[in-house]
Amino acid sequence: MIPEAELIKGELLVRNMALSDEVRLTRKSLVRWIALSLGLISPNESRTILLDVLDVLLKEFAHEKRPTTREIHEKVQKMRKEPVSEKTVYYHLQRLASRGLLQREKGAYFLSKEKERIRDSVKKAYEREFDEAFERIGKALDSL
């Protein structure tokens, strides 16, 4: 028997969602929509720390900043009423990095070393993963 779980290098989920005018009314609903579209959260997800981390990152990157874990934690903490540990924030940063959405250098996070729009950096990260997966799928199909 093939140990299938060991063969999985990662999963990518991209949802093709309608972008309604209602979604575009608030930043909070846009951040949630983006997280759902990129497969970062599940529908009806009640945990919101990832959304706060994502919101902070998007604000920082829009201003071409490279925040550290501590800076991100401080900004997330200001957004929330209840305390959030730095370890929890770091966990979500690691999840985003493992998806290829974030890079870290000298303790600072960024999307890309190139000067490009956020949308282009995110698209490239997903395209790299899709291309790698479809290359293997193609080899398997050719082997048939």
Side-chain angles (χ1 to χ4, degrees), residues 20-127:
S20 68
D21 290 337
E22 291 172 337
V23 168
R24 299 172 88 162
L25 287 176
T26 68
R27 180 177 183 86
K28 187 175 181 175
S29 64
L30 273 170
V31 170
R32 183 173 181 80
W33 187 94
I34 290 166
L36 277 165
S37 293
L38 294 175
L40 301 175
I41 61 171
S42 301
N44 302 316
E45 180 89 30
S46 60
R47 295 172 293 177
T48 60
I49 295 174
L50 173 68
L51 299 177
D52 293 339
V53 169
L54 184 60
D55 191 14
V56 167
L57 288 170
L58 292 171
K59 284 177 188 171
E60 294 295 296
F61 296 154
H63 292 99
E64 298 182 9
K65 294 181 181 175
R66 291 183 169 201
T68 64
T69 303
R70 177 170 284 135
E71 291 167 340
I72 296 164
H73 175 253
E74 288 171 359
K75 290 181 186 219
V76 167
Q77 192 61 61
K78 286 179 185 176
M79 296 171 74
R80 302 183 65 83
K81 292 177 180 148
E82 68 278 353
V84 176
S85 74
E86 190 170 329
K87 189 175 180 179
T88 301
V89 169
Y90 182 73
Y91 166 79
H92 289 294
L93 292 169
Q94 290 304 107
R95 278 189 56 216
L96 293 169
S98 71
R99 293 234 173 157
L101 289 171
L102 280 183
Q103 296 178 48
R104 186 174 180 208
E105 188 175 86
K106 298 179 183 173
Y109 291 93
F110 58 97
L111 287 173
S112 172
K113 288 186 177 184
E114 302 167 26
K115 292 270 187 187
E116 59 188 1
R117 295 185 319 177
I118 294 171
R119 67 185 290 168
D120 296 330
S121 295
V122 170
K123 184 177 179 185
K124 281 182 184 178
Y126 275 75
E127 284 176 341

